[in-house]
Amino acid sequence: MASGNEIGIDLGTTKVMIYKEGEGIVLNEPSVVSYDINTGDPIAFGDDAFRMVGKTNKRIAAEFPLKDGVISNYTLTKEMVQHFLKKAYNTKVVKPKVCICIPSQVTGIEEKAVIDAANSCGARKIYLIEEPIAAAIGSGIDVIRANGNIIVDIGGGTTDIAVISLGGIVCSKSIKVAGNTFDAEITKALRTKYNFVVGARTVMNLKHEVADCMPTERTSVTFKVKGMNMAKGLPGTLDINSFDIYPVIEPLIEQIRDAVKRVLEITPPELSGDIYENGVLLTGAGSKLKNLDKYLEQYLNTRVYLAEDSRSCVAKGTGMALKLEDVLETGFRDVTPGFTK
């Protein structure tokens, strides 16, 4: 295959990451677009647009055009994909072969929107891969072997769980509880309990620095957040610690735990034995929630561990999968317009 001509796109709810053959991750930017409200014309993408979130005037809007891992605003997504592809792949001589990561359970309409967006960017060939397969490949697991592995990929919009063996998905489940859900619930809790409103960046920092799935007096962290005190109608600060956040995240981590258990319950016995030996692999930015691995271990009766490069596993695996196209089974397919099996 031609060097440098294969691109993997992790089209995430909060981040877009692009992997380029021979170079690794060449783009990692927020999946946000700012645009002129009157004309609809894009103004900025990615990092530049994210700086405008919460700070726009009446003429400009900043929007994340994906929801729960799939396209909610087709036009903005198309513009965003085109912009990022041009930024990552700057030659017009040879059109790239593109693999795009999607959640495990998308509708036909959602899938078509992803394909159309890639096709409009001039891709030579288009493949779709499901997130758990991509995450496994990107984390270094040999997915082709007759050996069972379970992947729990916690992204921005969805948590995708799958048991993988012999190059395909044996059983899987996708739930719409992930990083953005945690952000939304923390935001809501601050407003309802403390009458305090904060911005998106503050909530993400609070989640990363303070949220803990198993807080103790010794490990609890206190974080001073800045925002708007609604009772006073004035800017202010609020001290929040890990015990304040735990009741907010507890129902969410329970849903993730229960979803993993349901997949394990329907896993064939021989593969269950493999999983007991191999453990449960956590990938995705949401998997870095403090002590999530230890929390899950309590209930799953097996080792749970975090991938070495959990944030970029999916993007890496999406690009690397193109070299395995002849041996991958379920979860990877050619969807190039006009292609027939």
Side-chain angles (χ1 to χ4, degrees):
M1 295 181 181
S3 179
N5 191 35
E6 298 174 355
I7 292 178
I9 304 176
D10 177 10
L11 195 60
T13 303
T14 57
K15 283 272 190 177
V16 173
M17 300 181 72
I18 296 182
Y19 173 95
K20 189 175 179 182
E21 182 191 9
E23 298 181 32
I25 302 295
V26 295
L27 185 139
N28 179 5
E29 297 193 28
S31 49
V32 60
V33 181
S34 62
Y35 61 96
D36 187 305
I37 293 175
N38 296 323
T39 66
D41 295 334
I43 295 171
F45 302 88
D47 289 329
D48 293 335
F50 187 70
R51 295 187 189 98
M52 301 180 185
V53 173
K55 299 181 179 181
T56 57
N57 57 40
K58 294 181 179 180
R59 186 181 65 85
I60 299 172
E63 181 178 330
F64 288 84
L66 292 102
K67 181 178 174 59
D68 299 329
V70 294
I71 294 173
S72 59
N73 186 317
Y74 171 77
T75 303
L76 290 183
T77 300
K78 179 179 175 180
E79 297 276 3
M80 182 176 69
V81 172
Q82 287 176 330
H83 174 82
F84 285 147
L85 268 177
K86 289 176 183 177
K87 193 171 182 178
Y89 192 85
N90 54 18
T91 177
K92 298 180 181 179
V93 178
V94 181
K95 293 182 178 180
K97 181 183 287 188
V98 176
C99 184
I100 305 172
C101 183
I102 59 170
S104 296
Q105 299 173 7
V106 298
T107 67
I109 294 174
E110 293 167 341
E111 185 177 290
K112 184 178 183 301
V114 174
I115 297 167
D116 289 346
N119 188 50
S120 69
C121 298
R124 181 173 93 256
K125 296 278 283 183
I126 303 170
Y127 297 82
L128 294 184
I129 186 169
E130 294 183 14
E131 286 183 6
I133 288 280
I137 295 171
S139 65
I141 289 176
D142 184 354
V143 298
I144 307 304
R145 290 179 57 209
N147 186 271
N149 287 278
I150 184 167
I151 314 298
V152 180
D153 181 68
I154 307 173
T158 61
T159 291
D160 292 288
I161 306 145
V163 173
I164 297 168
S165 180
L166 289 170
I169 293 176
V170 179
C171 48
S172 67
K173 185 171 183 61
S174 180
I175 61 172
K176 293 182 178 181
V177 175
N180 287 356
T181 320
F182 285 86
D183 293 348
E185 290 301 311
I186 292 171
T187 300
K188 185 168 73 174
L190 292 177
R191 179 187 286 270
T192 56
K193 185 174 181 179
Y194 301 102
N195 211 10
F196 202 80
V197 179
V198 298
R201 293 184 189 85
T202 299
V203 171
M204 284 190 279
N205 289 335
L206 194 59
K207 178 179 65 177
H208 294 146
E209 300 293 332
V210 181
D212 190 334
C213 299
M214 298 179 68
T216 65
E217 291 291 345
R218 184 176 61 84
T219 61
S220 179
V221 175
T222 299
F223 192 81
K224 187 181 292 292
V225 296
K226 299 175 183 178
M228 176 64 72
N229 185 320
M230 298 302 291
K232 298 179 179 179
L234 296 170
T237 62
L238 181 68
D239 289 335
I240 297 293
N241 64 43
S242 301
F243 288 103
D244 296 323
I245 297 296
Y246 181 71
V248 181
I249 67 171
E250 183 183 20
L252 306 180
I253 58 178
E254 287 179 348
Q255 290 184 60
I256 293 173
R257 175 199 70 196
D258 292 345
V260 177
K261 288 178 70 175
R262 284 195 289 273
V263 173
L264 289 171
E265 287 168 357
I266 60 174
T267 300
E270 289 296 331
L271 293 180
S272 295
D274 292 339
I275 290 169
Y276 183 79
E277 293 293 328
N278 297 331
V280 176
L281 176 64
L282 301 180
T283 65
S287 67
K288 296 181 77 66
L289 197 65
K290 194 179 300 181
N291 286 322
L292 178 61
D293 53 347
K294 294 177 182 177
Y295 171 86
L296 292 174
E297 275 186 351
Q298 287 189 135
Y299 297 95
L300 301 181
N301 194 36
T302 189
R303 180 172 64 102
V304 178
Y305 66 104
L306 192 65
E308 185 175 338
D309 192 4
S310 59
R311 291 180 185 272
S312 59
C313 279
V314 171
K316 288 181 179 178
T318 301
M320 294 165 65
L322 290 167
K323 291 192 178 299
L324 301 172
E325 60 179 286
D326 295 330
V327 290
L328 288 175
E329 298 294 334
T330 57
F332 178 88
R333 53 206 165 87
D334 189 337
V335 293
T336 309
F339 171 80
T340 55
K341 294 184 178 180

